Amino acid sequence: MSRAAAAQQNCSVKIPVSDYDLGATLNSGQAFRWTPDGSGWAGVIGSRWVRLEHFRSRELLHVSGAGIIRAQTNVRQETWHWLEHYLQTGTDLQRILGTFPDDEPLRAATQACRGLRLLRQEPWECLASFILSSTKQIVQIRQVVDQLCRRFGNPLDVPVGAPAAWAFPSAERIASLAEADLRGCKMGFRAPYLLATARRVASGETDLPAIPGLPLQEARARLMDLPGVGRKIADCVLLFGLGFHAAFPVDVWVLKALRQLYFPKRRPGPGRLRQFADSHFGPFAGYAQQYLFHYMRTRHSLVSFAP
DNA sequence: AACCAGGACACAA
DNA sequence: TTGTGTCATGGT
């Protein structure tokens, strides 16, 4: 094999998957940096530009979401562990679904959103993005995050002809900015929150990488101690960035879903519903939450989540 | 054109 | 503990 061919080969990989709906997963409000690219998706993971596309395999047509995910980068990769980690392709989804309670709403949601997964995102990007998420629509969160990256993130090498891409700005970089710089990204009242939290993370006063080693309650408390981080955003970061699959973020959509699907008569408050969720959905409650969220969001508006 | 969005926070009662 | 006003911005 020629050297060029080897390099070419190391710029792309095929990961076998089953029950993996790439479009729904990348576009279900857990990550905000993926854009449709032909019949696939382009985005950034860490400091790498990545293009992803799902191909279903012919001999496995009877298995929904079976096939391979083809990933391309523009730089040769020694390993692809970082990608498998991000996409959580090693996760046995059926085993997780098997832990769900056998109730009608969850059956409907898991059936409607077959192949929906949880990603494992970089903690700082996840934390910062969700600080920017409060009372904003997902499309708007994407716009603000995009502004932030293209103004203050390091520019990345991309393939010829591809749109420019930037890394997500580090906590240190954001900590060095002024509030006005951040407000320039249209994040409004969230600017001082992001700035203060970036400074706490950059200074080491809050050790993000250490949080996954803590018990859930303590991990959540550490996050909620940060400016702009309440219960909901803490749970999002625990679930999408730190691997706490029992975390159950309750936003307006999940609130609606729980009330409508589980308590159509009464009208329990958020506290009561969190209590219900914690005791009802089991060790992978966060997955159940994501199914309910996506189910609710796609059922009413017939938004296409395919590129 | 109102209404609302993957909320947090200070302050009330 | 639960309830209100406020904070910015722009999509639907």
Side-chain angles (χ1 to χ4, degrees):
Chain A
M1 185 187 299
S2 75
R3 185 171 187 160
Q8 181 65 34
Q9 199 170 53
N10 284 341
C11 288
S12 112
V13 69
K14 296 174 181 174
I15 305 174
V17 293
S18 61
D19 272 310
Y20 206 116
D21 186 336
L22 188 62
T25 299
L26 298 179
N27 208 14
S28 57
Q30 44 179 327
F32 305 101
R33 301 238 285 150
W34 292 97
T35 55
D37 179 22
S39 47
W41 299 84
V44 172
I45 301 174
S47 56
R48 301 175 176 95
W49 177 93
V50 187
R51 184 181 185 279
L52 300 172
E53 183 167 358
H54 180 269
F55 296 92
R56 56 178 78 255
S57 53
R58 284 175 193 153
E59 62 274 23
L60 292 174
L61 273 180
H62 60 286
V63 184
S64 152
I68 58 110
I69 291 175
R70 177 163 182 261
Q72 301 165 264
T73 58
N74 60 317
V75 179
R76 65 176 292 178
Q77 305 297 323
E78 295 301 322
T79 79
W80 296 90
H81 291 149
W82 53 274
L83 180 63
E84 294 167 3
H85 185 251
Y86 180 89
L87 293 174
Q88 293 283 290
T89 46
T91 300
D92 183 349
L93 186 58
Q94 291 310 317
R95 189 176 64 80
I96 290 171
L97 298 183
T99 68
F100 284 2
D102 187 24
D103 62 51
E104 183 47 39
L106 208 46
R107 257 202 306 278
T110 52
Q111 206 158 11
C113 313
R114 193 171 291 277
L116 177 62
R117 302 289 190 124
L118 289 183
L119 301 168
R120 180 71 178 268
Q121 301 174 61
E122 197 280 315
W124 165 245
E125 174 171 348
C126 188
L127 170 60
S129 298
F130 276 96
I131 286 176
L132 301 178
S133 77
S134 72
T135 35
K136 270 195 169 309
Q137 300 180 153
I138 290 174
V139 278
Q140 262 176 276
I141 302 169
R142 281 208 201 89
Q143 292 169 4
V144 172
V145 169
D146 180 66
Q147 282 294 307
L148 186 65
C149 291
R150 67 175 59 221
R151 291 187 189 205
F152 304 114
N154 294 328
L156 300 177
D157 289 330
V158 302
V160 181
W166 293 263
F168 192 91
S170 66
E172 291 75 14
R173 174 65 171 139
I174 293 179
S176 75
L177 300 174
E179 186 180 316
D181 297 325
L182 296 177
R183 284 189 182 265
C185 300
K186 304 303 176 187
M187 63 182 73
F189 61 83
R190 304 156 194 85
Y193 293 152
L194 179 60
L195 184 56
T197 287
R199 290 181 173 163
R200 298 245 317 237
V201 171
S203 72
E205 187 179 344
T206 296
D207 186 3
L208 273 189
I211 294 185
L214 302 174
L216 173 60
Q217 314 291 339
E218 201 175 323
R220 178 183 289 131
R222 289 284 175 88
L223 290 172
M224 289 181 66
D225 191 44
L226 292 166
V229 182
R231 173 65 187 259
K232 189 270 170 179
I233 289 177
D235 280 344
C236 284
V237 179
L238 290 170
L239 183 60
F240 303 137
L242 299 176
F244 288 87
H245 297 313
F248 193 95
V250 178
D251 73 319
V252 291
W253 288 97
V254 174
L255 192 67
K256 251 190 288 189
L258 291 178
R259 280 176 175 160
Q260 191 170 313
L261 301 174
Y262 289 91
F263 304 97
K265 320 227 73 168
R266 310 192 232 312
R267 193 179 166 76
R272 198 88 186 113
L273 284 172
R274 269 205 311 269
Q275 198 176 334
F276 163 74
D278 286 339
S279 63
H280 184 257
F281 292 110
F284 296 96
Y287 271 84
Q289 175 276 158
Q290 194 65 9
Y291 276 92
L292 292 172
F293 176 78
H294 196 249
Y295 179 55
M296 206 64 183
R297 231 165 59 83
T298 52
R299 200 160 61 116
H300 294 294
S301 62
L302 282 159
V303 182
S304 171
F305 282 85

